[in-house]
Amino acid sequence: MTLTQTITTAGGVFAPGHLGALTRFVPFELVDDVLDRPGRRGRTRKLPARVAVYFVLALALFTDVSYGRVWDTLTGAVRQSGHVVAAVTAAGLADARRRLGPDPFRDLFEVLAGPLGRPCTPGVSYRDLRTVAFDGCRSTRVPETGDNVAWLGRYKAVPALPPTRCCR
């Protein structure tokens, strides 16, 4: 048996691989679909809206790096392959981020967000229910109604633990 798979890629300078691994997880067709909704496509600028979306996503990955460094990281493969990338200032990148606004990212999140583990993965389910954990959750705060107090007791403030260092 032979299995084949057809993969569609964006053409040109901003093709997958040029924008980094982000295009593997956030397909350009999805970004284009989100941007094609009414009121989201403006005039074409030096920095296309699709590229601005990937830039803002890259900002979330490189939180301690300046806009310029994130842009250089994002477009480094484009330059290495001999293409010319328009010089974009930090102010221009900030304007592109502002023009996009939160709506495209909200739509992307609604499509892409979900649990990574499948129900058959060990530890993901217990009796057909997904298991969850709240790291650092030391108390449950609920309204102090008669039923809640009877079941859980009264809320007692727990003093915070001092920070610990994990040096072993």
Side-chain angles (χ1 to χ4, degrees):
M1 175 192 315
T2 303
L3 299 174
T4 60
Q5 180 180 10
T6 304
I7 299 172
T8 307
T9 61
V13 174
F14 297 111
H18 292 161
L19 289 177
L22 287 173
T23 54
R24 231 176 83 202
F25 300 102
V26 184
F28 72 92
E29 298 97 346
L30 177 61
V31 172
D32 286 346
D33 181 55
V34 164
L35 291 172
D36 282 340
R37 298 195 179 149
R40 296 225 179 127
R41 285 271 187 196
R43 64 185 173 93
T44 304
R45 301 169 187 261
K46 275 202 260 184
L47 185 64
R50 176 199 295 168
V51 178
V53 167
Y54 287 111
F55 170 72
V56 173
L57 292 174
L59 284 175
L61 296 175
F62 303 105
T63 57
D64 295 338
V65 182
S66 69
Y67 276 29
R69 299 257 334 255
V70 171
W71 177 251
D72 291 341
T73 301
L74 195 64
T75 59
V78 175
R79 288 192 192 95
Q80 287 177 355
S81 64
H83 295 284
V84 176
V85 176
V88 183
T89 64
L93 293 168
D95 286 343
R97 181 179 182 184
R98 181 189 45 76
R99 275 193 310 273
L100 282 175
D103 294 336
F105 301 100
R106 185 179 304 116
D107 292 346
L108 284 174
F109 179 81
E110 288 173 0
V111 171
L112 295 172
L116 294 176
R118 299 176 186 259
C120 60
T121 305
V124 169
S125 298
Y126 174 74
R127 295 186 179 179
D128 296 328
L129 298 173
R130 183 166 290 277
T131 55
V132 296
F134 296 97
D135 188 24
C137 183
R138 296 175 40 193
S139 66
T140 304
R141 295 186 82 172
V142 296
E144 291 191 11
T145 63
D147 290 339
N148 288 343
V149 170
W151 179 43
L152 298 169
R154 293 217 177 263
Y155 174 74
K156 296 177 184 161
V158 180
L161 295 175
T164 59
R165 294 179 61 186
C166 297
C167 298
R168 296 178 191 186

